[in-house]
Amino acid sequence: MKKRIIVALLSFALLIGAVQAYVVTIDAPAEIRAGAPLEVTGNTTFPVATQFDIVLYRSQFTTPELIDRRMIIVDESKAFDASFPTTNLPAGQYKVEVEF
């Protein structure tokens, strides 16, 4: 009986160790001045050559308005950056998201 419990616990531990998830973290300033570029940086655990977009939206009460996007291709450093011009954007709330 003890042997079965030990085998079951070891199997469970191996199963937990095999589960992995990829992570993307992004960092953007909470506020910027009108006309200054919005600089977004981040890093990821995705494999090299993975592609995704960093997307800038204007937050609205209904559907967010897409402003711009930048394609990111993961390189060996796993770090990335994107810059969005803000000239002529109205004051308001904006958000940056990762989109695959």
Side-chain angles (χ1 to χ4, degrees):
M1 184 65 165
K2 285 185 179 181
K3 197 175 207 181
R4 286 185 193 172
I5 293 173
I6 292 173
V7 170
L9 289 174
L10 286 175
S11 297
F12 185 68
L14 290 174
L15 179 63
I16 291 174
V19 176
Q20 296 180 0
Y22 292 114
V23 176
V24 176
T25 58
I26 56 175
D27 185 37
E31 294 182 2
I32 59 169
R33 277 192 225 137
L38 170 62
E39 302 293 336
V40 178
T41 59
N43 56 47
T44 184
T45 60
F46 274 97
V48 172
T50 300
Q51 294 181 12
F52 56 88
D53 288 339
I54 301 293
V55 184
L56 175 63
Y57 291 99
R58 180 170 184 223
S59 298
Q60 299 180 30
F61 292 110
T62 57
T63 306
E65 175 188 0
L66 177 97
I67 302 297
D68 205 354
R69 66 176 57 234
R70 298 286 182 266
M71 181 189 294
I72 303 296
I73 301 173
V74 178
D75 64 14
E76 293 80 17
S77 73
K78 306 287 182 123
F80 58 86
D81 59 75
S83 181
F84 296 94
T86 63
T87 306
N88 299 324
L89 288 181
Q93 297 288 318
Y94 292 83
K95 65 180 180 176
V96 178
E97 294 182 348
V98 173
E99 187 176 282
F100 286 88

